[in-house]
Amino acid sequence: MKLVVVSAGLSVPSSTRLLADRLAAATARHASVDVQVVELRDLAVDIAHNFTSGFPGRALSAALEAVTEADGLIVVTPVFSASYSGLFKSFFDVLDQDALSGKPVLIAATGGSARHSLVLEHALRPLFAYLRAVVVPTAVYAASEDWGAEGLAERIDRAAGELGRLMEGMGAVRRADVADVADVADPSVAVDTDTAAAIAPRPLDGARASADRFTVIPFEQQLAALRP
């Protein structure tokens, strides 16, 4: 399975990237994943040009494709003005609106104060709910005082475990769907007559089927047929 990590940290080294790496490593302990990291700092100019030209550059196009094709995402942003950073939001603004539909996502953020931890619930979770992603229950916030303190490692492991199980579960569902489609498409698979009759399309009530289309019976005529 392919896990893509989107990090919106700006400095080098970055606490945002550090949290992203720890979340990715923890997820890899819970599920078999190939990890790819997308550093938004390196794509800032391409993202701005995409807004003005409508076309992504090569690097941005590759990053958007990686996110779209991922089996799961970890997204981490620093807190700016009590919300996600503008660079973080801009990346998901240029992403196709349906790219995250049904995709497991772990949300995380870093900040200088624990008072900003609610950014996960009032900003990030609504954003990814709007994009129809499946956001794992445990979100991870790391303030400056959390590094090296008790509790952060446990939150990381719990969130990573939820993401890993969700990715594996959805992967199993997709594989089962593909197998079902292959069986139906395979002409060597026998289908009994009762099953064939059950799945055969039927004309809608109140309509008389012709060779290529349905002929709708006027409501007055249907009503007249119901009168004694």
Side-chain angles (χ1 to χ4, degrees):
M1 294 183 295
K2 182 179 179 182
L3 174 65
V4 173
V5 181
V6 179
S7 172
L10 297 179
S11 60
V12 180
S14 164
S15 61
T16 299
R17 176 61 188 270
L18 177 59
L19 179 58
D21 288 344
R22 290 195 178 184
L23 287 166
T27 304
R29 292 194 294 269
H30 289 276
S32 178
V33 293
D34 295 321
V35 179
Q36 178 180 348
V37 178
V38 174
E39 276 281 9
L40 298 188
R41 182 176 64 88
D42 299 332
L43 300 172
V45 174
D46 282 353
I47 292 172
H49 286 167
N50 195 145
F51 278 113
T52 57
S53 68
F55 297 98
R58 182 175 299 176
L60 177 58
S61 181
L64 296 173
E65 182 179 357
V67 169
T68 301
E69 295 180 351
D71 297 297
L73 293 180
I74 294 173
V75 297
V76 191
T77 179
V79 175
F80 287 172
S81 302
S83 187
Y84 37 64
S85 72
L87 179 60
F88 181 86
K89 179 61 162 57
S90 295
F91 176 76
F92 290 101
D93 282 342
V94 299
L95 184 69
D96 186 90
Q97 188 170 343
D98 297 323
L100 301 187
S101 181
K103 197 180 300 294
V105 175
L106 190 166
I107 56 175
T110 59
S113 168
R115 290 190 295 273
H116 289 305
S117 61
L118 286 178
V119 69
L120 294 166
E121 304 303 326
H122 72 65
L124 270 78
R125 197 176 294 275
L127 170 63
F128 289 96
Y130 172 77
L131 294 173
R132 300 191 299 281
V134 181
V135 184
V136 302
T138 301
V140 180
Y141 179 82
S144 298
E145 61 265 27
D146 288 326
W147 298 104
E150 293 183 2
L152 179 59
E154 288 77 8
R155 294 199 305 274
I156 289 174
D157 188 67
R158 182 169 64 248
E162 292 170 355
L163 178 62
R165 290 190 294 272
L166 189 57
M167 289 175 65
E168 287 184 336
M170 289 189 166
V173 170
R174 283 194 297 271
R175 289 191 294 272
D177 289 343
V178 170
D180 289 344
V181 170
D183 287 345
V184 171
D186 188 348
S188 66
V189 176
V191 179
D192 61 79
T193 54
D194 291 339
T195 302
I199 64 175
R202 296 180 176 84
L204 298 174
D205 292 339
R208 187 182 296 109
S210 63
D212 299 315
R213 63 184 183 277
F214 289 104
T215 302
V216 178
I217 300 175
F219 175 74
E220 293 82 1
Q221 186 175 342
Q222 297 181 53
L223 185 62
L226 295 174
R227 294 191 182 116

